[in-house]
Amino acid sequence: MRELLRSVWTEPRAADPPVRVWRDWALVGVVAPLVIVEGLFRPDLPVSTRGYALTVALALVPTLLWRRTRPLPMVAVAFTTTGVAPLLLGHEPDLVSGAYLLLLPYALFRWGSGPEMVAGGAIVLGKICLSAALGHLGLADVVAGFAVMLAALALATTFRYRARLWARGLDQAKLRERERLARDLHDTVAHHVSAMAIRAQAGIAVAQARPEAAVDALRVIEAEATRALAEMRTMVRALRHAEPAELAPSPGIPEIAGLASRAAPGPVVDVELLGDLDGIPSTIGTAIYRLAQESVTNARRHARRATRIEVRVAADAGSVRLQVSDDGDLGPVRPSGPTGPGGFGIVGMTERAGLLGGTCEAGPNPDRGWTVTVALPRTGTPAGAAG
């Protein structure tokens, strides 16, 4: 029990609570008229206290606007006010529309920190106990009040930890994609270093007999070293964890043609390669291949009743673009998390493209099907990495 209380007390505030959005203003715009209509036209409300109850209920409506960003002050204001109101009215303000106040403890347990939850819960429970001690609430009302507060606590806690698990899953998908990208980059850099070593050995061997050949070797070494340095910077940015590198050569844009399929079961896959595809850094080529492979895999798994998948790669002087489209039915949103062994979903694809200074967008087509669009800089140098 002590560990449970300690974990509650040390609970941090939920990250990035939404600020006031249009839905909050719409909620206030709905609740305020309901309070006014009930307060003015409900026949069983005492005439002597009708105005006071209506004023209290309306005055507390704006607390809904700050319930996520300032959950404890809003709970304190609302439940202190409703705790004092029975002392002046002689009974509990029994406006049914006042049920909107239940959103405040929900928001407290959903977005507040541990100390805020403890303090806010004490305020709510103190208000219920005070009303019961003054005889304004019967036993059934007290039990119902505790039940409602526990339900709000359980619901808010469920959504709080569900959001945390979702965020953790996204972070893990991004980290796995960084590791995968770094592994590909490791193979590329190893290739450049191997070429440098071979050229250096050749230059040493012919230096005395053919000095001009040694100079040519030095030029090749310089070019390979420049490319290797640029890709090593990208690899460092990917924050690769120590893992054995794969020995197989990294695939590139020419290997995308191998994704084409007409005889295999499932949708027909057509591949089209356009533009100047020569001289593209292997970092970019491997990334384009991985993104195309992942997009085709996602389409095969999730595009319902798809008959065709089109893969188009186009390169110009400044960028390399990939587009993968299918003609499947427009159903539920495609999964953004891991899609299977070795797959990282839309989140991982976006992370890989972003690490290379590019973009990755995915969404439904206007009529039917789904399209993934990727744009990467041809240089292979992420934005801001030049320094």
Side-chain angles (χ1 to χ4, degrees), residues 61-246:
V61 169
T63 59
L64 296 174
L65 298 175
W66 288 274
R67 68 186 187 277
R68 290 187 294 261
T69 55
R70 296 204 182 351
L72 179 58
M74 296 304 102
V75 167
V77 168
F79 284 87
T80 300
T81 301
T82 55
V84 174
L87 301 177
L88 303 176
L89 295 176
H91 61 84
E92 284 284 327
D94 52 357
L95 291 177
V96 176
S97 55
Y100 71 84
L101 292 176
L102 294 176
L103 293 174
L104 300 179
Y106 168 83
L108 173 68
F109 294 120
R110 171 64 180 87
W111 302 103
S113 65
E116 288 176 330
M117 288 188 284
V118 172
I123 292 173
V124 174
L125 295 180
K127 186 269 177 186
I128 296 175
C129 294
L130 176 62
S131 298
L134 295 175
H136 298 146
L137 292 178
L139 179 60
D141 294 328
V142 173
V143 173
F146 278 106
V148 169
M149 289 301 105
L150 288 176
L153 168 63
L155 186 62
T157 303
T158 299
F159 280 103
R160 183 187 186 102
Y161 286 102
R162 181 182 177 185
R164 182 174 297 175
L165 289 175
W166 172 252
R168 186 176 300 171
L170 293 181
D171 289 340
Q172 290 176 349
K174 291 179 180 180
L175 287 174
R176 286 194 296 268
E177 187 64 15
R178 286 172 178 243
E179 293 174 0
R180 192 180 182 197
L181 173 60
R183 192 177 302 115
D184 291 335
L185 293 172
H186 172 275
D187 296 341
T188 301
V189 172
H191 167 76
H192 289 311
V193 174
S194 298
M196 291 163 58
I198 293 173
R199 287 288 182 171
Q201 292 169 357
I204 293 173
V206 300
Q208 294 182 350
R210 298 174 54 199
E212 68 280 1
V215 173
D216 292 339
L218 289 174
R219 291 195 181 99
V220 173
I221 291 173
E222 180 187 17
E224 293 287 343
T226 301
R227 287 194 290 267
L229 181 60
E231 289 168 0
M232 285 178 66
R233 286 173 177 167
T234 304
M235 181 170 63
V236 171
R237 292 181 71 252
L239 301 178
R240 179 182 186 268
H241 294 173
E243 280 189 18
E246 296 178 359

